[in-house]
Amino acid sequence: MSRRTPVQSPAESRNPQHGHAFRASSGRPALTSVHRLGTSLVAALALLAGSAALAPTLSAAAPPAQPAPDPAQAPYDLTTDAPVLIVLGQSNAEGWTAPIQDTADVAQCRAFGHVKGLRRTNNRVTGAESATWSPYTCVGNNLGQEYAGGRNYNVASATALRWERAVTAGAALPDLHVIHVAWGAQGIQETDGTNNRWWPDRDPTDIESLFPLAVNTITNGLRALREAGKQPRVIGIHWNQWEAEAGARSTISADHIQQAFLKVLEPLRTITGAATAPVFLYRPRTSHYDAMSKAHITEALTGLAARPAPNPYRLLDAAEATSATGVPLYDPAIPKYFGIYKDGIHYTRAVHEWFADQQWKTVFTDKRFGAPVQATENAALGRPATQSSTNWAGREEAGNAVDGNTGGVYWEATPSYTKYEAQPWWQVDLGAKRTIRSVELFNRTDRLFERLTDFDVIVSDTDLTGRGWADIQADPTVRKIRIKGTAPTKLTVAVGADGRYVRVQLAGTNHLTLPEVQVNVPIG
């Protein structure tokens, strides 16, 4: 059986001064209609728009502003709904040069009562088989690199702070769940050299390979919420990354870099199972990088945001940023800094809070309360499986890889095992054409795990038995996903394609051994 740890959600209480009842992890008591009317946050959210420390400067005498979105009207089920915010990228996704120094925010950052995160100590593990949710803190929840101790303003921490303040002020909102993976100066292309930690084909056994870490973490995090009886709802995926491509001057055309972005973004969208969730991209504004590369990147990102509906991609432009009181921040007359950068590259606190405000308005103004993540089932479990050969008849059969035993120690597990041969393969018949969200491969953990190295995950409508490697590679109707390097303890492969047959096939010569293969398809 798969070894997973259920979601951790300790009992909490709301701020006593608001009179809310103590609640356990099973959910909060529903507010009465009178209470809902009494806690309308049109005024309260004007207070919440910035830091809690700004509260004394705001009063009834402040200039009239557009009515603030009212979270009290959000139709969330407080018992089951679990809004999820995913923040990915490089230094600006971390909040370089924007340390959290506000006294109230520093105090809040130590522990949140209504926001959950994935702490590094529990979840920054190569090939992790589970995820553990715990109270969010501004330090220790970025699974990439934490710059200057990690306590910085970014869209993750700024949204978390605002969510917490809203609930404390009386909004009936379920806990927010934050998945954060960011690392400064890291690119998405092999040509980014030593700074290519977001490159999808980077060694998946390296904990610093951010793409497989993000794919596996998102899968595990959403599954843990499901197993805790929650309905995950993805309110936004933020991709704040492009500088490494401009800095390395590896961007040869807008089409080239757009395809590189899609090679990262589309699998990440697929793995969430929330096709309509908004994906926020960030428009380049700095003058620091090579002008031609930056122009190509800008064209690529604006092109994604301009795709015809339904289009999940949205472009955030810091040139449109305003302060909490509505004052424009961008000033092209200020060389290098433009009123939005602390050092010419990294955004100020006010800009990060504006980014969080756009996420907030997406939920509560646009009323996009989070795309529900459709539940999945393992369509491969117990299905007929075959392999190119069997190393030990009666012990290492193909069907062992779909028997539900994910154990990686040979004598305690039931792996499939081929003979030593060129391009050995293993295949399962799902019985019918299914929409495949992902394939999870469990590798050996005792020894010889390097045998599962450099291979393809292949999805086909038709049986591939009898077809050679070269024939399959040349067939455009067959979905092929190449995995370079050795698979970790568990590797999650985003698929996003329909098919009946799923095959795993080595590109070289060796034994192919698979403790377990799970094919995740939406239920229904």
Side-chain angles (χ1 to χ4, degrees):
M1 297 297 293
S2 178
R3 305 179 295 275
R4 301 191 184 96
T5 304
V7 63
Q8 177 183 346
S9 181
E12 301 160 355
S13 61
R14 287 185 174 175
N15 192 326
Q17 69 180 355
H18 295 289
H20 293 291
F22 180 91
R23 76 152 179 99
S25 60
S26 58
R28 302 186 183 94
L31 301 181
T32 66
S33 58
V34 173
H35 196 158
R36 286 185 182 273
L37 291 172
T39 58
S40 176
L41 297 183
V42 172
L45 285 182
L47 176 70
L48 300 176
S51 166
L54 297 177
T57 68
L58 300 176
S59 67
Q66 182 179 1
D70 187 357
Q73 307 304 316
Y76 284 118
D77 184 317
L78 300 186
T79 302
T80 60
D81 280 340
V84 178
L85 173 67
I86 301 172
V87 178
L88 312 167
Q90 54 183 96
S91 56
N92 273 314
E94 288 187 67
W96 282 28
T97 73
I100 297 176
Q101 297 174 330
D102 176 273
T103 302
D105 288 350
V106 168
Q108 184 63 76
C109 275
R110 295 189 181 101
F112 287 68
H114 311 291
V115 182
K116 299 292 187 292
L118 298 174
R119 293 196 61 76
R120 294 167 63 88
T121 51
N122 303 106
N123 301 283
R124 192 172 185 263
V125 179
T126 301
E129 296 184 32
S130 62
T132 303
W133 290 98
S134 54
Y136 181 81
T137 57
C138 297
V139 177
N141 282 274
N142 175 9
L143 302 185
Q145 176 201 59
E146 294 205 304
Y147 174 77
R151 195 177 66 195
N152 305 304
Y153 288 104
N154 50 61
V155 73
S157 62
T159 303
L161 287 164
R162 188 164 184 176
W163 196 279
E164 187 76 13
R165 290 196 295 267
V167 177
T168 302
L173 298 176
D175 289 347
L176 174 67
H177 297 76
V178 178
I179 298 175
H180 191 188
V181 183
W183 192 311
Q186 300 309 310
I188 59 176
Q189 302 177 88
E190 182 179 14
T191 51
D192 292 326
T194 57
N195 290 336
N196 65 0
R197 286 179 174 84
W198 272 112
W199 176 41
D201 292 334
R202 203 170 185 272
D203 181 7
T205 62
D206 185 350
I207 190 61
E208 296 184 359
S209 293
L210 302 178
F211 178 80
L213 175 65
V215 168
N216 200 45
T217 299
I218 292 170
T219 299
N220 290 340
L222 297 177
R223 178 180 287 138
L225 291 173
R226 278 279 184 194
E227 292 178 346
K230 303 294 184 180
Q231 169 59 72
R233 293 182 175 274
V234 179
I235 63 172
I237 303 171
H238 288 255
W239 178 256
N240 194 342
Q241 187 278 343
W242 60 264
E243 294 92 332
E245 305 346 291
R249 298 190 179 184
S250 57
T251 306
I252 59 176
S253 69
D255 181 69
H256 170 84
I257 190 60
Q258 187 176 91
Q259 293 306 310
F261 279 129
L262 289 173
K263 188 175 179 180
V264 174
L265 294 172
E266 286 301 292
L268 291 170
R269 287 186 59 234
T270 295
I271 214 69
T272 65
T276 61
V279 180
F280 295 90
L281 309 174
Y282 290 71
R283 179 181 178 131
R285 283 295 176 184
T286 178
S287 60
H288 181 76
Y289 297 102
D290 174 71
M292 183 61 70
S293 291
K294 194 175 68 173
H296 289 323
I297 293 167
T298 301
E299 183 180 346
L301 294 174
T302 54
L304 287 175
R307 286 182 164 189
N311 180 20
Y313 293 106
R314 300 180 58 179
L315 193 64
L316 295 181
D317 189 347
E320 301 172 0
T322 59
S323 69
T325 56
V327 177
L329 298 174
Y330 183 72
D331 185 350
I334 303 176
K336 183 178 177 179
Y337 304 104
F338 304 123
I340 58 175
Y341 293 111
K342 188 75 172 180
D343 58 3
I345 301 174
H346 301 105
Y347 296 116
T348 64
R349 166 190 172 176
V351 175
H352 285 294
E353 291 183 324
W354 182 82
F355 289 146
D357 188 53
Q358 305 318 296
Q359 173 63 76
W360 191 265
K361 289 177 178 176
T362 297
V363 178
F364 298 112
T365 300
D366 300 343
K367 301 187 184 304
R368 299 184 65 175
F369 298 110
V373 176
Q374 193 172 2
T376 61
E377 61 184 356
N378 177 14
L381 184 63
R383 296 297 309 168
T386 53
Q387 55 190 4
S388 53
S389 63
T390 300
N391 188 61
W392 182 355
R395 163 65 186 170
E396 299 169 342
E397 301 292 343
N400 291 353
V402 290
D403 64 359
N405 186 343
T406 64
V409 178
Y410 179 85
W411 290 108
E412 299 174 3
T414 55
S416 65
Y417 217 124
T418 71
K419 294 179 179 179
Y420 185 87
E421 58 188 341
Q423 286 105 36
W425 56 265
W426 174 95
Q427 179 175 289
V428 62
D429 178 2
L430 303 182
K433 188 174 180 179
R434 305 294 297 272
T435 297
I436 300 170
R437 182 182 301 173
S438 65
V439 172
E440 291 177 276
L441 303 174
F442 293 80
N443 199 1
R444 288 184 63 172
T445 58
D446 51 357
R447 55 190 294 271
L448 302 176
F449 50 83
E450 69 278 0
R451 287 178 173 174
L452 190 53
T453 297
D454 296 336
F455 58 93
D456 277 7
V457 174
I458 303 169
V459 176
S460 173
D461 289 343
T462 58
D463 189 354
L464 298 172
T465 304
R467 298 183 62 180
W469 171 265
D471 179 35
I472 294 173
Q473 294 296 314
D475 188 345
T477 67
V478 175
R479 176 87 161 101
K480 298 170 286 289
I481 304 167
R482 172 61 55 86
I483 304 300
K484 297 182 179 180
T486 300
T489 304
K490 190 197 79 170
L491 178 68
T492 304
V493 181
V495 176
D498 294 345
R500 173 174 173 174
Y501 297 89
V502 176
R503 172 180 283 205
V504 179
Q505 186 163 12
L506 296 186
T509 300
N510 210 326
H511 296 275
L512 173 61
T513 180
L514 296 166
E516 191 72 11
V517 178
Q518 296 178 355
V519 180
N520 299 314
V521 303
I523 295 176

